[in-house]
Amino acid sequence: MLVRHLSYFVTLAGEKHFARAAARCNITQPTLSAAIRKLEQDLEVRLVVRGHRFTGLTAEGEKLLVWARQILRDYDSLREDLDGGSGLTGTLRLGVIPAAMPSVAFLSARFMAAHPAARIAIQSLTSRAIQRGLDAFELDGGLTYLENEPPEHVRLLPLYQERYVFVTGPDHPFAGRDRLGWAEAFTQTLCLLSEDMQNRRILNKVASGLGVTVDAPVVSNSFLGVCAHIRQGGWSSIVPHTFLHVLGATPDLVSIDLVDPVHTQSVGLVLSDRDPPSPMAAALLTCLRGADFERDFARENARVDRGR
C-alpha cells in the first residue's frame, strides 16, 4: 500500500467525482481507478460503491477515510520533522470562529516570528466545523469558544475573555449611554449572526436567562455583513468587544457596554489531543504559551489612541 494511493483515495472522497479527483492529482482517470483497486486488493475490502459514476464510499471506505487522513497527516509531519534542520516549514492550517477573527493576527505574529519559513492558512469556520476539522486531521488547530459548548478530545489553551457591547449609529436614542441592560438591547432592531454560529447561540442563552426572546430581522453568517448593516443605519447589533479593535473609533459607530448581567466567554486555542502532536500543532502551542491576548488588545488600542 503506497502513501500516494491513500492520497488519491482521500482526494476522490473529497471531490466525489473520478475525473475531477484525477485532475487534482495530476494523473489520468484510469491511473486513479487502478490505484483505488490496488488499495482494495491490499486491504481485501471494497472501498467505493461501483457504478457508472462515483456514488459514495462503502462502510469500509468511510473507515479508511478517517485512517487515511491521519496517516497522510503523520506522513507530512514526518517529512517536516526530518527537514527540521532548516526550520519548520509547511502550512499551519487554522480554523477560526468569526467572533475570534479580531485576535487571530496576534497568533500569526507570534507563530511567524518563531517560524518564518512556515505559512498560515486561516479559515472562518463555525465551532462545530472546527471540531470536525480537528477530528478529521484537516486542521492543525482552532480558535473557538472553550466553555459554552465545550469541544471534545482536544487540548485547550485559554487566551482571553470575550465580553459584549451594543453597537449602533450616533443618532440612536441610546447613543449617549455608557451602559445598557441586555433586556433593553434585545428590544431594538437588530442584525445578528445566524443560528448556526455559536456566538448567536450564546446571545440566545443570555436572552433565555432573562426571560426574553431574540428577534433579529436580519441575520448573517459573517460579522462583515453585520457591520455593513450597522453602518447603513436602521440596525443595531451585539458584538464581542474585540470587534472595536477591527472597527476602530469612527464617528458613525457608537459602542455601549452591556450589563445586567456582565457576560463573558472564554476564547482560546484548541488542538487535537493526539499524542504525540504534529510538529505544527506542537510549535503553535509552544508559541502561545504565556500569551495574553487581552494585553495585546489593550496595547493595540492604546497605539490607535495615540495616533488620533
Side-chain angles (χ1 to χ4, degrees):
M1 183 170 62
L2 299 177
V3 170
R4 71 170 179 271
H5 290 170
L6 289 176
S7 177
Y8 297 162
F9 175 74
V10 170
T11 302
L12 175 61
E15 293 292 332
K16 298 179 173 56
H17 191 278
F18 275 94
R20 288 199 300 268
R24 277 199 59 190
C25 295
N26 295 313
I27 58 176
T28 64
Q29 189 169 329
T31 299
L32 174 64
S33 298
I36 301 302
R37 285 196 297 271
K38 184 64 168 64
L39 270 178
E40 292 178 326
Q41 292 170 7
D42 290 344
L43 297 172
E44 299 180 348
V45 293
R46 183 66 62 86
L47 300 173
V48 177
V49 179
R50 290 294 193 274
H52 293 296
R53 58 176 61 91
F54 180 88
T55 57
L57 302 179
T58 64
E60 292 79 10
E62 293 289 353
K63 291 180 182 178
L64 175 62
L65 182 59
V66 175
W67 281 98
R69 285 170 171 161
Q70 179 175 348
I71 291 168
L72 291 173
R73 188 62 189 145
D74 286 341
Y75 178 71
D76 289 342
S77 295
L78 171 62
R79 295 186 61 179
E80 291 167 4
D81 200 23
L82 291 175
D83 194 38
S86 59
L88 188 66
T89 60
T91 301
L92 172 67
R93 301 168 302 173
L94 198 66
V96 182
I97 58 171
M101 276 295 180
S103 70
V104 71
F106 300 144
L107 179 154
S108 299
R110 285 179 170 83
F111 188 81
M112 295 304 294
H115 307 287
R119 296 292 181 265
I120 304 175
I122 299 168
Q123 296 183 66
S124 177
L125 298 172
T126 66
S127 55
R128 290 167 179 168
I130 290 173
Q131 178 79 68
R132 291 194 296 270
L134 291 173
D135 292 343
F137 305 99
E138 295 171 345
L139 295 174
D140 297 298
L143 286 182
T144 186
Y145 294 111
L146 303 184
E147 299 168 338
N148 181 63
E149 296 172 5
E152 300 177 340
H153 313 300
V154 295
R155 291 183 174 93
L156 305 177
L157 180 65
L159 293 171
Y160 66 95
Q161 288 290 322
E162 177 181 277
R163 55 183 176 80
Y164 304 93
V165 294
F166 181 82
V167 179
T168 192
D171 297 329
H172 192 280
F174 296 162
R177 296 196 189 182
D178 294 325
R179 304 194 308 169
L180 180 68
W182 282 86
E184 198 169 9
F186 283 131
T187 67
Q188 303 305 296
T189 303
L190 298 174
C191 176
L192 300 174
L193 286 186
S194 47
E195 299 277 352
D196 58 322
M197 297 292 173
Q198 190 175 169
N199 174 270
R200 173 60 185 278
R201 297 194 294 275
I202 289 171
L203 301 189
N204 290 349
K205 187 179 292 186
V206 173
S208 178
L210 295 171
V212 300
T213 58
V214 181
D215 180 19
V218 179
V219 298
S220 172
N221 67 353
S222 164
F223 272 116
L224 184 60
V226 171
C227 292
H229 283 80
I230 303 171
R231 287 188 180 277
Q232 174 66 25
W235 291 276
S236 302
S237 191
I238 297 171
V239 301
H241 75 291
T242 55
F243 268 76
L244 301 178
H245 170 65
V246 175
L247 297 176
T250 58
D252 57 340
L253 290 179
V254 175
S255 67
I256 307 167
D257 289 335
L258 283 166
V259 296
D260 301 326
V262 174
H263 188 83
T264 64
Q265 289 288 335
S266 179
V267 177
L269 176 70
V270 291
L271 305 169
S272 172
D273 65 355
R274 60 181 301 195
D275 193 21
S278 70
M280 279 291 179
L284 179 59
L285 184 61
T286 298
C287 286
L288 292 184
R289 281 202 176 104
D292 184 347
F293 281 19
E294 293 279 10
R295 181 184 60 210
D296 291 339
F297 278 119
R299 183 189 66 242
E300 288 301 307
N301 290 338
R303 182 180 62 81
V304 172
D305 289 340
R306 288 195 300 270
R308 287 206 302 267

